[in-house]
Amino acid sequence: MSLELGDPLAHRALQALLRAESAVRRRLAAELEREGISAAGFSALVVLTTAGGVLELKTLRRRLGWSKPNATEVTATLEARGLVVRRRPPDDRRIVVVDLTAAGRDLVERLFPAHSDRVARAFGALDEGEKRSLAEICRKLAA
């Protein structure tokens, strides 16, 4: 069987994108894991922090692009560590609300400055125009 690529350049772009994403994710996650938190858990805490500390699980999931099972697993782990509390409002028991705890907020405040520096270093090879272009290209691909 012969494999014929319909658009060889698209395949090269895909491979480059996957390699870059994996390398950046691995570097950033390794530092967070040394601090005792997963990249997914930290992302959830940052989103909650920027949202004022409270979000419906459905909204948190949508903002992070997670599946329902993944969102449930990550928030359950964060809750077990005392970083968030999940609750069902009495007026609508169908929804789950995730509240950031003081411990969760403290963790974000402690780790975010160094994490932000690592993100800046990870993209340091790109100039401002390249960063804007990359962000636009990723938005197009995600649409």
Side-chain angles (χ1 to χ4, degrees):
M1 176 177 151
S2 171
L3 296 179
E4 237 178 89
L5 303 178
D7 184 349
L9 188 54
H11 285 271
R12 285 190 11 228
L14 173 63
Q15 289 306 310
L17 177 63
L18 293 175
R19 280 193 305 275
E21 186 271 341
S22 178
V24 169
R25 182 186 299 255
R26 201 172 34 252
R27 271 184 261 147
L28 296 176
E31 292 297 323
L32 290 170
E33 287 169 5
R34 280 197 255 307
E35 293 289 344
I37 189 159
S38 70
F42 188 69
S43 294
L45 294 177
V46 168
V47 168
L48 284 166
T49 299
T50 60
V54 179
L55 280 177
E56 280 187 35
L57 182 56
K58 173 177 63 175
T59 304
L60 178 64
R61 185 173 67 78
R62 191 173 51 248
R63 288 188 186 177
L64 291 166
W66 290 349
S67 66
K68 285 181 182 182
N70 188 44
T72 300
E73 181 180 341
V74 171
T75 56
T77 300
L78 292 172
E79 186 173 42
R81 294 193 53 204
L83 302 173
V84 301
V85 173
R86 295 179 297 168
R87 61 183 169 80
R88 293 193 182 271
D91 58 322
D92 189 348
R93 307 285 298 157
R94 296 171 298 171
I95 65 172
V96 174
V97 174
V98 182
D99 294 300
L100 186 65
T101 65
R105 188 176 313 281
D106 291 346
L107 184 69
V108 170
E109 288 173 2
R110 183 171 62 83
L111 297 183
F112 192 80
H115 176 72
S116 182
D117 288 345
R118 287 189 296 273
V119 170
R121 280 194 308 274
F123 287 89
L126 304 178
D127 64 32
E128 294 301 310
E130 289 170 325
K131 289 177 210 174
R132 275 191 284 283
S133 294
L134 177 60
E136 179 61 27
I137 289 166
C138 290
R139 275 191 292 277
K140 283 182 179 180
L141 290 174

